[in-house]
Amino acid sequence: MSDPQSVYAWFARSAAEFTDHAALEVGDERLTYGELRDLAERLAARLATACAGTPPRRVGLLTGRSVTAYAGYLAVLRAGATVVPLNPEHPHSRTAGIAEAAGLDLILTDTPGAGDGLGLPELAWQPLESVEPTDGPAPELPQPEAAPDDIAYIIFTSGSTGAPKGVPILHRNLSAYLGHVASRYEIGPGSRLSGTFDLTFDGSVHDLFVTWAAGGTLVVPMRSQLLSPVKTINSLRLTHWFSVPSLISFASRLGTLAPGSMPTLRWSVFGGEPLTLAAAREWQAAAPGSVLEVLYGPTELTISCTAYRLPPDPAQWPDTPNGTAPIGSCYPTLDFLLLDEDGRQADSGELCVRGPQRFPGYVDAANNAGRFLRPDPLATQATYGGGELTDQHWYRTGDRVALRDGRLIHLGRTDQQVKIRGHRIELGEIEAMLREQAGVRDAIVLAMPAADGEPELRAAVSGTGCVSERLYSALGDRLPPYMLPRRISVLDQLPLNPNGKIDRRALLTELDRSR
């Protein structure tokens, strides 16, 4: 059987096969595939007439962790429209800017009035508190009109100019991803997969459709539960976990990562930021029956484009220059290049990728400049500067990667290699050495302007019993003077952004205030 080419069809195929099996759990609410399909169909019918009788093209999904959020995501796709997730906890000005940039036609929310001030029609919708059969059959709807080249969803990421950048992902992009990934994790009825990510982060798309493509149950923890991962995994009886690695730090800080403390886990997947090998070892010991895998990929390449499965025996894990797990191999359907600073192919350099998962370009085409390479970059050594963007153009990830022993190793961002007084420095190397010190849980090193305007290194660590002077001494025994941070700040917790990643910008502001 061939894979579907529209995203909703992946769910619909499972709904037909696993009708009476659990599809979604949010809090105390539990829906089978048949019930979730019924809700999505009913809501899709409402959407079709919510804009003065004209079906919406793009729908802003302004919801918390509710049944409306997940049934609504499906309903928008079922109606042949594009999902634009919005976060109700974000400032109104940011939401308004995204709504305008995305060209929204409608706001779908679980809270009446949540879309006030956006100047858009609003559909506030709540399913019955206890999911029961509703009167009459679901309305007859035409088959989804979405074509493979239609936009399934748009995620807005931080932009260097301060304005969020819209990343549209086509149905064929996500179908290509699911075709490769959905079968990796032994999912079926009875599998219970975490929904840790907010819908504004594309890890959530993996949560939804990798689960629903194979007949598993998506189990959505409340936000407060994410700060206690071990307790949450056990209380929700999860078999599959996918999150950013930062949540390992929360569990470690609580002292809950005891050996064998997560017996139900069969798969543990981490992505969104580098996974340190030290954190992986701690998690592996706590979930000895779980396979550990790392996913890597920017939003522009549809969730992930490489994967690395750690061997069952930690003694066989590879050593890496910065103490993080490899990101593994590029998916076989994708092409990749590593280009050095001179645009030459090398074993270490910026990772550039093209293939069926690559997005078609930003919502605002002005953001495409400098982010793509022409089809033959080795011949032209030229960056795409405008004009028609074809499938043959390479996307520049901005990540520095090395190919070693057949594995890709993430070395950091291209903007995290800095020069201090003429010396080229990899910030990740210093961070790795800080994490090796006793008591250090997380470490970040930043280049900041000093009083004279020249850059200097500043570090921040979190953990137990960390003492700046001891850390200086330990680094001084292993690093040349030009690589030593001018100051090491000890924090209770490194700041995180709403997606759970370490927020370098917030940390930069905090360290700047503490000069």
Side-chain angles (χ1 to χ4, degrees):
M1 183 185 299
S2 62
D3 290 332
Q5 290 302 301
S6 76
V7 178
Y8 185 83
W10 284 87
F11 167 77
R13 186 172 68 176
S14 291
E17 184 176 356
F18 308 113
T19 305
D20 297 324
H21 291 279
L24 177 67
E25 289 186 16
V26 183
D28 296 330
E29 297 187 271
R30 179 180 182 274
L31 285 78
T32 66
Y33 274 87
E35 290 167 335
L36 182 56
R37 178 180 56 192
D38 183 81
L39 286 178
E41 297 270 332
R42 292 179 185 279
L43 182 51
R46 293 277 304 276
L47 289 170
T49 59
C51 297
T54 302
R57 296 177 308 107
R58 295 182 179 180
V59 178
L61 191 57
L62 185 60
T63 59
R65 291 171 174 253
S66 65
V67 168
T68 299
Y70 303 96
Y73 207 113
L74 288 169
V76 175
L77 295 173
R78 178 67 177 89
T82 298
V83 182
V84 183
L86 304 169
N87 194 320
E89 297 183 7
H90 286 178
H92 182 271
S93 59
R94 180 180 177 86
T95 300
I98 290 174
E100 181 178 2
L104 297 185
D105 301 312
L106 177 71
I107 297 293
L108 173 59
T109 181
D110 52 9
T111 306
D116 287 353
L118 296 178
L120 293 167
E122 175 185 288
L123 175 57
W125 186 82
Q126 286 253 355
L128 298 176
E129 290 187 6
S130 63
V131 179
E132 300 172 353
T134 52
D135 293 335
E140 288 290 334
L141 292 173
Q143 288 302 308
E145 297 179 0
D149 282 326
D150 288 342
I151 300 171
Y153 65 88
I154 302 174
I155 295 285
F156 278 79
T157 66
S158 296
S160 58
T161 63
K165 294 190 297 185
V167 181
I169 298 298
L170 308 180
H171 283 264
R172 65 176 171 88
N173 297 147
L174 184 51
S175 290
Y177 178 77
L178 294 173
H180 178 69
V181 173
S183 61
R184 289 180 69 88
Y185 304 115
E186 300 174 324
I187 299 167
S191 301
R192 297 174 60 80
L193 291 87
S194 65
T196 68
F197 296 101
D198 289 338
L199 295 182
T200 49
F201 186 61
D202 67 338
S204 66
V205 184
H206 175 107
D207 290 342
L208 271 63
F209 292 101
V210 169
T211 301
W212 292 336
T217 305
L218 180 66
V219 184
V220 183
M222 295 299 99
R223 181 179 289 278
S224 59
Q225 292 179 289
L226 296 179
L227 302 182
S228 304
V230 175
K231 180 180 179 181
T232 297
I233 287 167
N234 290 328
S235 64
L236 299 179
R237 308 182 314 282
L238 297 179
T239 59
H240 294 65
W241 176 262
F242 180 34
S243 78
V244 291
S246 298
L247 293 186
I248 300 178
S249 296
F250 280 105
S252 180
R253 189 178 181 191
L254 291 171
T256 55
L257 280 179
S261 58
M262 294 181 287
T264 65
L265 272 190
R266 294 190 285 113
W267 289 87
S268 299
V269 182
F270 294 96
E273 61 186 357
L275 171 66
T276 66
L277 291 169
R281 288 189 184 93
E282 200 171 4
W283 188 273
Q284 178 74 75
S290 174
V291 178
L292 256 67
E293 185 162 278
V294 174
L295 298 183
Y296 157 84
T299 302
E300 290 84 350
L301 294 172
T302 313
I303 308 169
S304 71
C305 59
T306 77
Y308 179 71
R309 192 166 294 173
L310 288 122
D313 182 1
Q316 298 177 357
W317 292 4
D319 291 325
T320 59
N322 54 8
T324 64
I327 60 173
S329 302
C330 200
Y331 295 161
T333 55
L334 303 175
D335 300 322
F336 78 94
L337 287 173
L338 302 181
L339 298 181
D340 65 17
E341 294 175 348
D342 297 320
R344 296 187 296 250
Q345 192 166 4
D347 289 334
S348 177
E350 183 180 11
L351 177 63
C352 303
V353 180
R354 69 182 178 188
Q357 289 179 214
R358 201 215 73 200
F359 79 135
Y362 294 100
V363 169
D364 181 354
N367 289 319
N368 292 334
R371 300 311 312 158
F372 293 87
L373 294 174
R374 293 176 181 171
D376 190 359
L378 300 181
T380 63
Q381 294 192 16
T383 297
Y384 162 86
E388 182 182 3
L389 189 59
T390 72
D391 288 345
Q392 295 304 305
H393 284 83
W394 301 80
Y395 176 69
R396 301 179 58 188
T397 65
D399 287 312
R400 294 191 64 253
V401 170
L403 183 61
R404 299 186 180 180
D405 300 322
R407 306 184 193 97
L408 295 172
I409 308 293
H410 189 270
L411 301 178
R413 296 288 296 171
T414 54
D415 54 6
Q416 288 174 23
Q417 185 186 79
V418 300
K419 280 192 175 182
I420 304 292
R421 293 183 290 278
H423 298 284
R424 183 176 296 172
I425 298 172
E426 291 287 354
L427 300 182
E429 182 180 354
I430 307 172
E431 292 169 354
M433 290 190 180
L434 283 169
R435 287 193 296 264
E436 291 175 5
Q437 307 308 310
V440 175
R441 184 183 307 111
D442 290 313
I444 292 292
V445 179
L446 300 172
M448 301 176 60
D452 61 1
E454 293 297 315
E456 65 178 16
L457 299 180
R458 294 282 302 275
V461 301
S462 66
T464 55
C466 297
V467 179
S468 296
E469 290 76 12
R470 177 176 58 80
L471 297 175
Y472 270 123
S473 177
L475 290 184
D477 291 338
R478 301 178 62 184
L479 294 175
Y482 66 83
M483 292 185 69
L484 294 176
R486 181 174 179 83
R487 182 173 176 181
I488 301 176
S489 299
V490 178
L491 307 176
D492 291 336
Q493 177 69 44
L494 299 183
L496 304 179
N497 64 23
N499 295 326
K501 297 182 183 181
I502 293 174
D503 192 331
R504 290 177 176 266
R505 184 173 297 180
L507 181 60
L508 193 65
T509 300
E510 186 169 344
L511 295 182
D512 192 50
R513 286 199 302 262
S514 64
R515 287 180 184 275

